[in-house]
């Protein structure tokens, strides 16, 4: 799994950080940052859930 984000569209809702703090963080303005782009298998399910819950759907997953 490869994860990418489009920070320009982030509305700082924070769901990603609450659900998967191992993969996502927020900068001082609340904008998403990616901690790892190829998360381990045990995080794949929660990363998929995060992508579906992001209100602006900016989290992209490539399998
Ligand atoms: S859930 Fe989406 S909009 Fe909210 S902080 Fe994360 S990437 Fe940004």
């Amino acid at each position: 799994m490869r994860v990418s984000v489009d920070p320009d569209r982030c509305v700082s809702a924070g769901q990603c950080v609450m659900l998967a703090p191992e993969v996502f963080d927020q900068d001082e303005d609340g904008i998403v940052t990616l901690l790892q782009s190829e998360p381990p298998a045990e995080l794949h399910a929660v990363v998929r859930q995060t992508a579906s819950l992001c209100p602006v759907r900016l989290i992209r997953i490539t399998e």
Side-chain angles (χ1 to χ4, degrees), residues 10-16 26 30 32 54-56 58-59:
C10 181
V11 296
S12 309
Q15 279 92 330
C16 55
Q26 287 173 288
V32 66
C54 172
V56 289
L58 65 76
I59 299 167

Side-chain angles (χ1 to χ4, degrees), residues 35-56:
L35 298 177
Q36 46 181 327
S37 59
E38 296 186 24
E42 61 265 26
L43 295 176
H44 288 186
V46 74
V47 170
R48 285 192 197 95
Q49 185 185 8
T50 302
S52 69
L53 288 176
C54 172
V56 289

Side-chain angles (χ1 to χ4, degrees), residues 1-4 44 47-49 51 59-63:
M1 168 186 280
R2 178 173 279 276
V3 183
S4 62
H44 288 186
V47 170
R48 285 192 197 95
Q49 185 185 8
I59 299 167
R60 292 266 169 246
I61 294 173
T62 309
E63 303 282 357

